[in-house]
Amino acid sequence: MALSGMRGLSVFISDIRNCQNKEQERLRVDKELGNVRTRFKNEKGLTPYEKKKYVWKMLYIYMLGYDVDFGHMETVSLISAPKYPEKQARSYSTCMLNENHDFLRLAINTVRNDIIGRNETFQCLALTMVGNIGGREFAESLAPDVQKLLISSSCRPLVRKKAALCLLRLYRKNADVVNVDGWADRMTQLLDERDLGVLTSSMSLLVALVSNNHEAYWSCLPKCVKILERLARNQDVPQEYTYYGIPSPWLQVKTMRALQYFPVIEDPNTRRSLFEVLQRVLVGTDVVKNVNKNNASHAVLFEALSLVMHLDAEKEMMSQCVALLGKFIAVREPNIRYLGLENMTRMLMVTDVQEIIKKHQAQIITSLKDPDISIRRRALDLLYGMCDVSNAKDIVEELLQYLSTSDFAMREELSLKAAILAEKFAPDLSWYVDVILQLIDKAGDFVSDDIWFRVVQFVTNNEDLQPYAALKAREYLDKPAIHETMVKVSAYLLGEYSHLLARRPGCSPKEIFIIIHEKLPTVSTPTIPILLSTYAKILMHTQPPDPELQNQILAIFQKYESCIDAEIQQRAVEYFTLSRKGPALADILAEMPKFPERQSALIKKAEDIETDTAEQSAIKLRAQQQISNALVVTDYRPPNGTPPPVSSLNLVKVSSTSSNSDYNSVDQGADHTNGTVSKSDSQTASADLLGDLLGPLAIEGPPGAATSEQSVLSGGDVPSAADAAAIVPVQDQPNSVQPIGNIAERFHALCLKDSGVLYEDPYIQIGIKADWRAHQGRLVLFLGNKNTSPLVSVQALILPPLNLKMELSLVPDTIPPRAQVQCPLEIINLRPSRDVAVLDFSYKFGTNVVNNKLRLPAVINKFLQPIQLSAEEFFPQWRSLSGPPLKLQEVVRGVRPLPLMELANLFNSCRVMVCPGLDPNPNNLVASTTFYSESTRAMLCLVRIETDPADRTQLRMTVASGDPTLTFELKEFIKEQLVYIPEASHGPTQVPAPAVPQAPVIPPDDPAAILAGLL
Amino acid sequence: MPVAASAIYFLNLRGDVLINRLYRDDVGGNMVDAFRMHIMQTKELGTCPVRQIGGCSFLYMRISNVYIVIVVSGNANVACAFKFVVEAVALFKSYFGGAFDEDAIRNNFVLIYELLDEIMDFGYPQNLSPEILKLYITQEGVRSPFSSKPSERAVPNATLQVTGAVGWRREGLVYKKNEVFLDIVESVNLLMSSKGTVLRCDVTGKILMKCFLSGMPDLKLGLNDKIGLEKEAQLKSRPTKSGKTIELDDVTFHQCVNLTRFNSEKTVSFVPPDGEFELMKYRITEGVNFPFRVFPTIKELGRTRMEVNVKVKSAFGAKMFALGVVIKVPVPKQTAKANFQVTSGRAKYNASVDCLVWKIRKFPGQTEATMSAEVELISTMTEKMTSTKPPIQMEFQVPMFTASGLRVRFLKVWEKSGYNTVEWVRYITKAGSYEIRC
């Protein structure tokens, strides 16, 4: 190194290293910088040696992280220096300079001279410098030279290696430097290189190139495989490129990485030889003593594993991989174990191997107890990912056991995951309750509210579970010290269901009250309201009334009437007043009604966490891939779904959005005054679980009582009596299954969208996802069982209209509990028609046979393809289609009044593209689209709408196309869309049958169409 | 009284624990790791002395090369905690004889543990007075119980001492020569704009005493402060003297001062503790005499040159002189060289603080000194000059001068035996943050 002679520099560096702390170091650096500044400013000028020395010092200071913003002139002046040491200093110190700096322009020419010169060392230095700076100007002016160096045969490998890396740097900075067309061939040639050093550098370059654009470098693929073969057979690998007996592990890893960027390998020969190589790697790798060798061989191995996963190899190979991984997770070495676990988690993505992974469950559970937290986390992830119905019980119990000894940092995640697994795969519900209560007991602090909300929800919705849960809660209360969350759950459960236990010893209302009241002094403010509600419920359930208990409870209410916390105070006042109502109390404080089914907040939360950690989310990916395995009912309604949220109880929505938003703010302890009624409207699917439980307990009663209470208590938004009268307990209609939501609205929403919910009732949810391509379409029905018992005798029949050809794949006879099945449906459009296909769907739940005829949203506009026309294209077409039947005109009246913008949006959502600016009149719209069917092929359709700004309810519509039927059908369809008002159906539409949309013309010749009309 | 500390840690600059003591178990033993991770290793060190991490509050201050960290959970009295630290450091200093740093701590582990046990109980501060603690906690070795010679000095009665009427003074002190030393130490804080207007100025002063008096003397101190003089005039029913009187703000006294007499007669009377102590502290905001006036002119000549001229005038009496005058003129970071011409003292450019430092050892009163410097700057890659212009800072000490004009009118010592005492009075004015914008 040229530094040997520089005493000042080495003294400075040793000074810096001897500094005790950061402050001393800073002082020393500032002093040195002052010195350097003084020297640079010296009138006498500097000798090249001095200049070089100070530049090195500055570079060192810069590397320590200090700002060095002077000395660029001196640096640049080194550029022209002829000697090696100065050039060396220059090429390194230029990294202090910003790539956009003007001074660098001065350097380009000198550097270029070095690059095209003959001196190899200078070439190398120049390449290093160019790589370090890599600015746009450098890239533009020097890339061709660098490329030339790379492919020239006269250069030594040393230079070409550097050239490849330099080009890589330039490419990363500025992808334009490599011209894809010409370069792909060169790249292929480069891969024929015998020298492994050059090959490794070129491979790095290739990885970068391929990651951006794999198609252009298709020809490199067989070469990569060849290289792998060469390395694997250890042919022609010089001694210096074997590392602990492994032929150039770096090159192997890079090559495999490059291969992973290509989607598939089609050529069977290449594929076969690649698999041979991979097989060899998989078999040949073993754990040995030497750390370095292990590292190298495992780097190759794990890259090979991910390549195997990427290639979707045969099952045999996969199971071989899993077996290998299983071996690794049993190894002592923590790094290997970590990698083993991590890769196994990735393996879960590949479907078939799950069973094989399960064999290693015991070993994975042992890893949970590893001293290394990262290994524990990986093990947890893996356990979470591999859990299914068969092993849930073991895994959850293991997690629970582990919870009490685990690290604090992990407990929250652990408890959340345990809760989710218990919920997803519970064999029976009492087990689920047991697990969650244990969870709360063991890890109270780390159990988020969502977890206990969820268990309450479950208990409320399952009547047979209620006495059991209450009993369990009572048992936990006997423990000397319990966590506050446990107090909350127990108090809530006992308040609701303690009367079911009344006969048991120690469960009289009085005893329960005493044991809960004992906890009151220890709990925090948010818990007190729950306790108060519990007291009110106990009071209500005490029959015959116990005056002593009553006095005690009333005294508590009175005490809290002056509490500073508004929520507590309000509840105390309300309950106190309510308890004076005598028998009416029992009605008001009736049991909580069932909650609507909704996506588990826990799972949402887990997903959030996963995206947060941004770790490799194999589990999530898997969840996405196999949606049908996601057992918890998922809501296919898109987040901004057009149908308004509808109650599972088929209630009319009690009040407008104002009460809803009020309701959503409950968790902030906001003052929502309509304490008595808000529960019934909370049944409308607010996604906010928190609100349900933290809001005052449901006090739902017969309409009369409720309304009278409201007028006493609530000042603000009182729902009208008519609305309140619509509150009907679900038990009133036990035998008929009511669909959730308006089927017609859902159908109309789906006419404009491609995915969403088609039908929902308390037992089943049918979602749809459609994909349309010209005259063909593929529609997937998602049949999701929302219940914990299977749906049997499931039948689905398609009644296609004459214009559509449909093929429905087999629908299974039963849908297992909480499972979802997918039924793809292939659709081919034969000719234009507005007729709709009907799905005749039936199933049996318990003794109920439910049968529904649902229209499928395979409507005419799905086969449209919007097209934007210019004026020159439009008008000749418009003129050539003249008069009926190709061009039809109609004045439509009774149109929903819409601003022009929204009208245009409506057209666009029907896939009829509005072409702005074609019509000179701003009140008119001109739109165009292409229709596809088997008979007409692609057919251009043109639409013109003339609106009357004075009267928005009428307009004149002209539709033109090359086919008379198409023109007619399209006109009628658009008319339907214009006249139909999606939002119109609010109001008490309790009827399950959808409102019949105004279909003015029903062609009498088509049975399916008639059927659709009747629906 | 609220809790002041749950645990106290002494850390060196690298974050190693030198000594720690847990007073309550409401904080974990590894709290200091949190401090190291979240405060010491971040840039926030030194920005805010109180930080909350995970339910615990960390109160810390740096003294020479030691961080003293107090950890509390719950609602603690922060002011009390900091006062405790300051007092504790004063105590340690008086035990170690001056310095308090990492080495001093390492050399006195046992003593510090002993003291930490004594000065705080279960998070509540206890007696921190060095005079009293020194009676019981000594650095002498443990006496063997079998040693034949009984201790010569009677073991002082600790309870009586602490709970007695004059808890801060021991009975039966005898000195051959009875002496009292009284120092008035003032520090002047000034911020002046470049145009010469005073933006902020105040004087914080304290009266330090050192007593070597026998018996139980009663002392009475008279100052030329406004209230005291008015009261005296009122008592003696004669008109107030027309001379300059000083208005003292925020006066705080040592616990030995008899406050009832101060309230009624406005005189400071007290039975002093033995040895050194701080009698009172005060602050003055009006009528401050600045010892120095500074007139800077700084001209930028192009991008790479600057001219700095600083004239300093001393405003105190001609017979007095200031010592150790240092004037620091900030210059831009890219300063390369500076050529100086000074009328007195020496000046040089100090790159590690980015200042021109001008030192004058002795500066007589009613004179002036000038420095002119030509500063050369190096050109930088970033085009703009640094826009921050820190103020000129000044350090000095002026003996026998008080910026407030406070004077001791009398210091009377009265003792039963009626011995003669020698009183020594000194005045000194120092620079606090004495800054002039330029």
Side-chain angles (χ1 to χ4, degrees):
Chain A
M1 197 67 181
L3 305 184
S4 51
M6 285 184 241
R7 216 179 100 73
L9 181 61
S10 44
V11 167
F12 171 61
I13 291 175
S14 71
D15 274 1
I16 291 281
R17 287 186 180 158
N18 287 335
C19 283
Q20 296 285 327
N21 51 44
K22 201 77 192 155
E23 213 169 314
Q24 280 180 18
E25 186 187 292
R26 196 186 58 78
L27 285 176
R28 183 71 184 87
V29 164
D30 279 345
K31 188 178 156 205
E32 195 59 44
L33 282 178
N35 181 26
V36 174
R37 283 196 296 260
T38 316
R39 291 310 174 97
F40 279 172
K41 206 61 186 176
N42 212 338
E43 285 89 8
K44 278 178 270 173
L46 298 167
T47 62
Y49 165 78
E50 279 174 322
K51 212 181 269 178
K52 181 180 74 191
K53 183 173 90 177
Y54 292 125
V55 168
W56 277 119
K57 274 186 184 174
M58 278 164 52
L59 181 63
Y60 185 70
I61 290 170
Y62 178 78
M63 274 158 46
L64 288 174
Y66 296 91
D67 245 4
V68 178
D69 61 351
F70 63 92
H72 44 282
M73 278 311 290
E74 284 70 20
T75 309
V76 174
S77 73
L78 283 176
I79 286 173
S80 49
K83 286 200 193 122
Y84 178 77
E86 278 90 53
K87 272 186 195 291
Q88 190 195 19
R90 168 205 70 187
S91 68
Y92 288 108
S93 60
T94 39
C95 66
M96 291 192 290
L97 299 175
N98 187 315
E99 65 173 63
N100 299 323
H101 205 279
D102 291 342
F103 284 96
L104 285 178
R105 245 175 249 153
L106 305 177
I108 290 183
N109 223 4
T110 345
V111 174
R112 185 152 185 275
N113 283 337
D114 276 354
I115 288 182
I116 54 180
R118 290 262 143 229
N119 189 327
E120 279 167 359
T121 44
F122 289 176
Q123 276 177 336
C124 288
L125 282 177
L127 287 171
T128 316
M129 179 183 161
V130 173
N132 270 337
I133 299 170
R136 174 169 286 273
E137 276 177 42
F138 268 69
E140 276 163 7
S141 45
L142 297 176
D145 296 317
V146 176
Q147 289 178 0
K148 225 174 275 166
L149 273 189
L150 177 55
I151 49 176
S152 87
S153 50
S154 59
C155 284
R156 278 229 319 238
L158 170 75
V159 181
R160 298 178 57 201
K161 252 188 326 199
K162 284 218 185 260
L165 292 176
C166 178
L167 194 61
L168 171 63
R169 294 290 294 261
L170 293 178
Y171 177 74
R172 283 186 187 150
K173 274 273 187 192
N174 179 6
D176 304 339
V177 297
V178 178
N179 181 7
V180 178
D181 304 329
W183 192 249
D185 296 339
R186 302 246 171 96
M187 207 62 223
T188 322
Q189 284 166 20
L190 270 176
L191 295 181
D192 286 333
E193 175 67 41
R194 300 313 296 169
D195 184 277
L196 282 186
V198 179
L199 205 52
T200 312
S201 307
S202 317
M203 195 53 84
S204 303
L205 180 61
L206 180 67
V207 169
L209 293 172
V210 174
S211 66
N212 267 8
N213 176 5
H214 62 80
E215 273 157 17
Y217 298 94
W218 209 237
S219 52
C220 296
L221 200 148
K223 302 273 180 186
C224 289
V225 178
K226 280 240 174 62
I227 292 171
L228 276 181
E229 266 185 306
R230 172 184 161 195
L231 290 172
R233 300 225 178 92
N234 207 349
Q235 290 169 337
D236 184 24
V237 179
Q239 189 55 41
E240 62 265 32
Y241 284 102
T242 41
Y243 183 74
Y244 289 93
I246 306 161
S248 187
W250 300 279
L251 182 55
Q252 288 195 45
V253 166
K254 275 178 185 162
T255 316
M256 291 195 225
R257 176 67 51 84
L259 284 175
Q260 285 175 49
Y261 284 109
F262 295 103
V264 279
I265 299 174
E266 273 146 6
D267 179 27
N269 284 333
T270 322
R271 198 173 160 89
R272 191 164 359 93
S273 48
L274 179 58
F275 277 122
E276 257 168 47
V277 172
L278 290 175
Q279 187 72 27
R280 200 187 276 252
V281 172
L282 292 183
V283 174
T285 313
D286 215 348
V287 181
V288 291
K289 268 250 163 82
N290 190 316
V291 182
N292 290 336
K293 177 161 186 177
N294 260 347
N295 285 344
S297 60
H298 287 118
V300 176
L301 176 65
F302 284 114
E303 205 58 52
L305 280 178
S306 45
L307 185 56
V308 169
M309 280 185 250
H310 172 76
L311 293 175
D312 258 342
E314 301 86 36
K315 187 158 186 209
E316 209 176 302
M317 199 160 207
M318 286 294 183
S319 49
Q320 199 181 355
C321 291
V322 178
L324 204 61
L325 288 173
K327 213 163 70 188
F328 284 159
I329 59 175
V331 165
R332 276 176 80 86
E333 232 281 300
N335 289 333
I336 297 178
R337 211 162 39 196
Y338 178 93
L339 287 169
L341 288 170
E342 194 185 24
N343 276 283
M344 233 185 217
T345 318
R346 286 177 63 190
M347 277 293 215
L348 284 173
M349 279 192 285
V350 186
T351 36
D352 305 338
V353 296
Q354 227 179 341
E355 287 307 314
I356 320 171
I357 291 181
K358 270 191 208 159
K359 284 184 208 149
H360 302 289
Q361 191 172 322
Q363 188 57 48
I364 297 167
I365 286 171
T366 330
S367 296
L368 261 187
K369 284 146 196 153
D370 198 275
D372 187 339
I373 185 164
S374 49
I375 291 185
R376 291 199 301 260
R377 276 189 197 285
R378 288 287 85 74
L380 180 61
D381 278 352
L382 181 53
L383 275 181
Y384 178 69
M386 67 188 274
C387 192
D388 63 14
V389 182
S390 64
N391 56 6
K393 212 159 177 172
D394 296 339
I395 288 183
V396 171
E397 261 149 38
E398 196 57 52
L399 291 181
L400 277 180
Q401 215 176 12
Y402 171 55
L403 193 61
S404 40
T405 53
S406 69
D407 214 46
F408 283 103
M410 253 175 99
R411 281 196 187 177
E412 182 165 2
E413 195 187 343
L414 193 61
S415 56
L416 183 68
K417 287 194 166 159
I420 291 174
L421 292 180
E423 182 187 326
K424 264 190 179 173
F425 305 112
D428 59 294
L429 286 168
S430 53
W431 178 79
Y432 171 68
V433 172
D434 276 350
V435 165
I436 301 293
L437 290 182
Q438 266 186 58
L439 194 69
I440 296 173
D441 187 37
K442 282 185 173 158
D445 274 334
F446 303 94
V447 173
S448 59
D449 282 344
D450 294 337
I451 294 179
W452 78 263
F453 289 171
R454 191 70 184 157
V455 73
V456 163
Q457 220 179 357
F458 260 93
V459 174
T460 313
N461 287 5
N462 291 283
E463 267 168 50
D464 11 343
L465 200 59
Q466 290 164 357
Y468 178 79
L471 191 65
K472 273 277 162 194
R474 173 74 183 78
E475 276 169 21
Y476 273 106
L477 276 181
D478 275 338
K479 285 195 167 188
I482 58 173
H483 191 265
E484 194 169 330
T485 315
M486 189 53 112
V487 176
K488 289 183 192 169
V489 191
S490 314
Y492 187 93
L493 291 177
L494 285 175
E496 289 288 315
Y497 310 115
S498 66
H499 59 283
L500 302 173
L501 303 176
R503 300 262 167 71
R504 289 175 201 262
C507 296
S508 71
K510 176 132 197 183
E511 281 162 306
I512 286 183
F513 167 72
I514 289 170
I515 198 162
I516 294 178
H517 192 53
E518 266 173 20
K519 312 289 179 199
L520 183 68
T522 60
V523 298
S524 61
T525 328
T527 314
I528 295 177
I530 298 178
L531 292 187
L532 290 183
S533 305
T534 306
Y535 297 162
K537 294 234 165 184
I538 291 178
L539 192 63
M540 184 266 294
H541 284 306
T542 318
Q543 295 300 343
D546 176 350
E548 199 190 331
L549 180 62
Q550 193 170 4
N551 289 341
Q552 264 180 319
I553 292 178
L554 291 184
I556 296 169
F557 287 159
Q558 268 181 320
K559 182 182 153 205
Y560 279 106
E561 276 182 2
S562 52
C563 180
I564 194 161
D565 187 273
E567 177 71 28
I568 298 176
Q569 189 187 26
Q570 188 187 354
R571 288 205 192 198
V573 172
E574 283 177 7
Y575 293 148
F576 186 75
T577 325
L578 284 174
S579 57
R580 294 288 172 82
K581 293 284 160 195
L585 182 68
D587 294 328
I588 300 161
L589 290 175
E591 225 167 76
M592 285 283 279
K594 289 188 179 174
F595 289 87
E597 281 298 345
R598 54 179 71 140
Q599 183 179 6
S600 168
L602 298 183
I603 290 174
K604 255 189 256 168
K605 188 167 173 184
E607 281 166 4
D608 289 350
I609 289 174
E610 271 162 30
T611 45
D612 279 356
T613 46
E615 278 171 16
Q616 168 208 61
S617 49
I619 300 162
K620 200 177 163 197
L621 268 175
R622 179 173 154 244
Q624 282 168 354
Q625 285 180 340
Q626 314 177 331
I627 275 182
S628 55
N629 283 356
L631 291 178
V632 177
V633 180
T634 37
D635 200 344
Y636 278 99
R637 211 184 289 137
N640 54 350
T642 34
V646 194
S647 149
S648 63
L649 299 177
N650 209 20
L651 298 174
V652 170
K653 273 206 70 185
V654 171
S655 50
S656 57
T657 43
S658 69
S659 79
N660 235 347
S661 59
D662 165 318
Y663 176 68
N664 283 336
S665 62
V666 167
D667 48 341
Q668 285 133 25
D671 55 328
H672 64 140
T673 43
N674 54 349
T676 49
V677 219
S678 70
K679 212 62 221 170
S680 53
D681 93 327
S682 74
Q683 298 302 314
T684 56
S686 150
D688 194 355
L689 259 173
L690 196 70
D692 286 2
L693 293 164
L694 284 189
L697 293 185
I699 305 171
E700 194 193 14
T707 34
S708 68
E709 281 313 315
Q710 272 163 26
S711 46
V712 176
L713 294 172
S714 55
D717 43 6
V718 181
S720 71
D723 282 345
I727 301 168
V728 183
V730 91
Q731 288 78 6
D732 281 8
Q733 316 156 316
N735 288 325
S736 65
V737 176
Q738 296 293 326
I740 299 170
N742 187 327
I743 297 176
E745 271 181 27
R746 292 189 186 235
F747 169 74
H748 281 286
L750 284 171
C751 287
L752 301 183
K753 305 183 296 178
D754 282 340
S755 63
V757 178
L758 180 68
Y759 171 81
E760 189 173 4
D761 68 22
Y763 307 114
I764 197 166
Q765 188 191 46
I766 304 179
I768 274 195
K769 203 166 178 235
D771 188 17
W772 307 96
R773 224 166 262 157
H775 67 283
Q776 289 174 330
R778 185 185 155 87
L779 205 146
V780 184
L781 292 171
F782 295 87
L783 308 175
N785 181 356
K786 290 160 72 171
N787 282 276
T788 44
S789 48
L791 293 177
V792 291
S793 318
V794 180
Q795 283 189 330
L797 206 66
I798 295 282
L799 311 173
L802 292 176
N803 62 323
L804 297 177
K805 200 166 114 190
M806 297 177 127
E807 266 171 59
L808 180 65
S809 67
L810 203 62
V811 178
D813 190 45
T814 51
I815 306 177
R818 311 204 136 266
Q820 197 189 47
V821 291
Q822 300 180 10
C823 312
L825 172 69
E826 304 288 344
I827 301 170
I828 295 172
N829 186 20
L830 302 174
R831 59 181 155 274
S833 160
R834 269 174 309 122
D835 302 342
V836 201
V838 170
L839 172 72
D840 186 352
F841 182 78
S842 64
Y843 64 92
K844 214 161 130 188
F845 180 77
T847 53
N848 288 352
V849 178
V850 184
N851 186 322
N852 267 303
K853 294 195 170 53
L854 305 168
R855 285 178 294 162
L856 287 178
V859 284
I860 188 165
N861 70 325
K862 301 285 182 188
F863 304 103
L864 296 177
Q865 196 69 48
I867 181 169
Q868 178 94 46
L869 288 186
S870 65
E872 315 60 284
E873 290 163 331
F874 182 86
F875 288 111
Q877 290 282 349
W878 184 255
R879 263 177 240 121
S880 69
L881 302 165
S882 59
L886 292 184
K887 192 185 220 172
L888 293 173
Q889 193 170 67
E890 186 178 333
V891 175
V892 187
R893 295 211 164 72
V895 173
R896 172 165 45 128
L898 279 179
L900 211 60
M901 270 310 288
E902 283 191 34
L903 200 63
N905 284 342
L906 182 70
F907 273 93
N908 283 337
S909 61
C910 291
R911 304 201 195 193
V912 182
M913 170 82 95
V914 172
C915 309
L918 284 191
D919 201 309
N921 185 345
N923 284 318
N924 293 354
L925 285 178
V926 168
S928 58
T929 187
T930 326
F931 177 79
Y932 292 89
S933 71
E934 233 175 31
S935 65
T936 59
R937 294 284 155 200
M939 180 77 74
L940 188 72
C941 309
L942 306 170
V943 181
R944 178 157 181 248
I945 304 284
E946 290 151 277
T947 63
D948 178 4
D951 182 7
R952 287 252 170 242
T953 60
Q954 62 173 1
L955 47 81
R956 188 164 65 185
M957 171 165 69
T958 316
V959 179
S961 79
D963 183 89
T965 8
L966 175 59
T967 309
F968 175 74
E969 295 289 343
L970 189 64
K971 189 195 79 181
E972 290 301 320
F973 174 78
I974 294 174
K975 203 164 88 180
E976 274 173 40
Q977 290 299 321
L978 289 174
V979 176
Y980 169 71
I981 304 165
E983 282 91 348
S985 62
H986 48 66
T989 48
Q990 266 182 311
V991 270
V996 180
Q998 291 92 329
V1001 190
I1002 299 171
D1005 54 347
D1006 187 345
I1010 298 171
L1011 199 52
L1014 289 176
L1015 282 168
Chain B
M1 187 170 67
V3 180
S6 293
I8 185 164
Y9 292 94
F10 293 77
L11 309 178
N12 67 7
L13 293 184
R14 281 198 316 199
D16 305 327
V17 181
L18 302 172
I19 279 191
N20 68 325
R21 175 80 169 85
L22 269 78
Y23 290 109
R24 312 176 131 229
D25 49 9
D26 55 357
V27 296
N30 53 354
M31 276 304 161
V32 72
D33 297 333
F35 177 78
R36 205 174 3 215
M37 295 280 291
H38 296 288
I39 302 177
M40 283 194 87
Q41 290 176 1
T42 59
K43 282 183 179 168
E44 287 173 53
L45 187 67
T47 54
C48 175
V50 182
R51 283 290 312 278
Q52 284 193 306
I53 302 168
C56 283
S57 306
F58 291 82
L59 326 173
Y60 62 95
M61 67 196 289
R62 182 180 161 178
I63 288 161
S64 69
N65 54 1
V66 177
Y67 279 103
I68 301 178
V69 185
I70 280 188
V71 187
V72 283
S73 76
N75 187 12
N77 185 339
V78 176
C80 177
F82 279 113
K83 181 69 182 166
F84 172 77
V85 172
V86 172
E87 290 295 323
V89 169
L91 175 68
F92 293 145
K93 277 184 180 164
S94 78
Y95 263 96
F96 308 154
F100 176 80
D101 53 19
E102 191 179 338
D103 292 333
I105 292 177
R106 287 193 191 282
N107 296 334
N108 293 286
F109 274 136
V110 183
L111 178 67
I112 293 177
Y113 275 125
E114 219 172 323
L115 286 171
L116 286 176
D117 276 348
E118 200 59 44
I119 59 181
M120 183 168 265
D121 253 354
F122 195 55
Y124 300 106
Q126 306 295 315
N127 196 343
L128 282 139
S129 145
E131 266 60 51
I132 293 178
L133 284 170
K134 273 181 183 165
L135 293 178
Y136 313 109
I137 300 174
T138 56
Q139 280 163 293
E140 289 161 22
V142 180
R143 195 181 296 281
S144 157
F146 305 108
S147 127
S148 54
K149 222 165 46 174
S151 96
E152 282 166 15
R153 262 193 312 171
V155 178
N157 186 341
T159 358
L160 189 72
Q161 184 68 64
V162 179
T163 58
V166 187
W168 55 88
R169 188 173 178 91
R170 194 152 53 93
E171 300 245 12
L173 287 167
V174 180
Y175 286 98
K176 224 180 254 176
K177 196 177 173 187
N178 291 300
E179 283 179 305
V180 187
F181 298 87
L182 187 145
D183 291 349
I184 294 186
V185 182
E186 293 192 335
S187 60
V188 194
N189 299 315
L190 169 78
L191 180 63
M192 195 182 264
S193 76
S194 53
K195 298 201 175 75
T197 48
V198 176
L199 300 174
R200 192 189 67 211
C201 108
D202 60 89
V203 174
T204 55
K206 51 191 175 183
I207 300 181
L208 302 174
M209 291 195 73
K210 204 188 263 180
C211 292
F212 303 107
L213 295 171
S214 315
M216 272 290 176
D218 211 343
L219 271 70
K220 202 170 160 187
L221 173 68
L223 299 168
N224 63 340
D225 62 317
K226 198 174 174 187
I227 309 170
L229 285 176
E230 276 170 7
K231 192 76 187 174
E232 196 174 298
Q234 196 187 325
L235 285 177
K236 292 179 180 167
S237 59
R238 65 178 184 216
T240 321
K241 275 182 200 160
S242 56
K244 193 187 170 194
T245 56
I246 317 294
E247 219 167 326
L248 301 182
D249 298 336
D250 305 335
V251 184
T252 52
F253 290 110
H254 188 263
Q255 59 166 339
C256 67
V257 174
N258 189 339
L259 291 179
T260 37
R261 273 176 80 184
F262 177 76
N263 285 336
S264 58
E265 297 169 27
K266 302 292 175 201
T267 51
V268 182
S269 63
F270 55 98
V271 177
D274 196 36
E276 239 176 300
F277 67 102
E278 189 183 283
L279 180 68
M280 64 183 278
K281 282 195 285 196
Y282 58 88
R283 210 161 61 88
I284 285 167
T285 47
E286 274 168 28
V288 179
N289 314 317
F290 307 117
F292 287 100
R293 289 205 162 256
V294 181
F295 305 95
T297 44
I298 295 178
K299 271 189 261 176
E300 281 170 24
L301 311 168
R303 278 188 54 218
T304 56
R305 278 185 65 219
M306 268 172 65
E307 218 177 72
V308 178
N309 281 301
V310 180
K311 185 161 80 175
V312 182
K313 269 188 189 167
S314 55
F316 44 86
K319 283 179 190 162
M320 291 186 268
F321 51 84
L323 295 176
V325 179
V326 179
I327 298 140
K328 289 181 186 164
V329 185
V331 285
K333 248 191 136 23
Q334 63 266 35
T335 301
K337 255 168 63 172
N339 298 318
F340 296 97
Q341 283 178 329
V342 287
T343 53
S344 63
R346 295 209 313 201
K348 65 168 196 248
Y349 165 59
N350 188 338
S352 47
V353 289
D354 291 317
C355 283
L356 306 178
V357 182
W358 178 23
K359 289 182 180 166
I360 305 166
R361 202 176 292 155
K362 195 167 171 181
F363 200 124
Q366 301 298 339
T367 55
E368 63 174 68
T370 54
M371 170 191 80
S372 60
E374 261 181 47
V375 180
E376 278 183 65
L377 308 177
I378 199 160
S379 59
T380 59
M381 278 177 255
T382 45
E383 293 299 314
K384 61 171 176 28
M385 295 274 276
T386 45
S387 54
T388 54
K389 272 191 185 169
I392 295 176
Q393 291 180 324
M394 201 169 167
E395 295 165 22
F396 54 81
Q397 282 192 357
V398 191
M400 300 323 283
F401 171 79
T402 54
S404 59
L406 196 70
R407 288 271 170 266
V408 173
R409 290 193 296 129
F410 58 83
L411 177 63
K412 289 175 190 158
V413 181
W414 183 86
E415 219 273 341
K416 278 178 287 185
S417 55
Y419 51 71
N420 285 327
T421 50
V422 188
E423 294 104 10
W424 304 90
V425 176
R426 280 195 300 185
Y427 303 95
I428 193 162
T429 295
K430 294 178 184 170
S433 88
Y434 205 84
E435 295 178 333
I436 296 95
R437 293 197 180 148
C438 47

